[in-house]
Amino acid sequence: MKTRLNKKIFDYALDCLRRGWFVFPCYPKSKAPAGKVVPHGVKDASNDESRICEWWYIDPNVNPAIALGPSNLVVYDFDEIKPFENLSTTFTVKTGRIPAN
């Protein structure tokens, strides 16, 4: 039986890769590395497109995560506070989390 690739999620992984970032898969709806695919977690992160394709072929529903160190990135995570006024313009993303009222 052939597994169907979740193209939208896979496209996000490839977008990260094409930005030069090191990617690794996490379990769906989780921040935990997909141990069945990357037994060493973030240490298995890669910027090799063939490796990324292999991971998503094994489990098409994993979520892409970025290894910050090898990708030379710093992340500011603002869940409930206003971002600092003096931060320079950055790449910004919104997550699916809905703020609590």
Side-chain angles (χ1 to χ4, degrees):
M1 183 168 144
K2 190 172 183 176
T3 305
R4 188 167 186 215
L5 182 65
N6 185 331
K7 183 119 171 73
K8 186 174 181 180
I9 292 175
F10 180 65
D11 285 342
Y12 286 127
L14 291 180
D15 181 58
C16 293
L17 175 73
R18 291 181 180 132
R19 292 175 187 274
W21 301 340
F22 285 70
V23 177
F24 65 100
C26 285
Y27 289 116
K29 299 182 181 183
S30 172
K31 295 179 183 178
K36 67 181 181 181
V37 181
V38 286
H40 303 105
V42 67
K43 293 179 181 179
D44 287 332
S46 178
N47 65 351
D48 178 337
E49 188 168 341
S50 64
R51 167 105 6 131
I52 305 304
C53 291
E54 180 182 324
W55 288 337
W56 265 262
Y57 178 76
I58 293 170
D59 187 341
N61 296 307
V62 292
N63 289 324
I66 302 164
L68 300 178
S71 300
N72 199 27
L73 294 173
V74 174
V75 171
Y76 292 99
D77 183 7
F78 298 105
D79 288 331
E80 297 184 23
I81 64 171
K82 184 177 179 182
F84 303 116
E85 299 289 329
N86 60 349
L87 284 179
S88 60
T89 303
T90 63
F91 181 80
T92 305
V93 297
K94 282 187 173 184
T95 64
R97 184 179 299 169
I98 299 172
N101 291 330

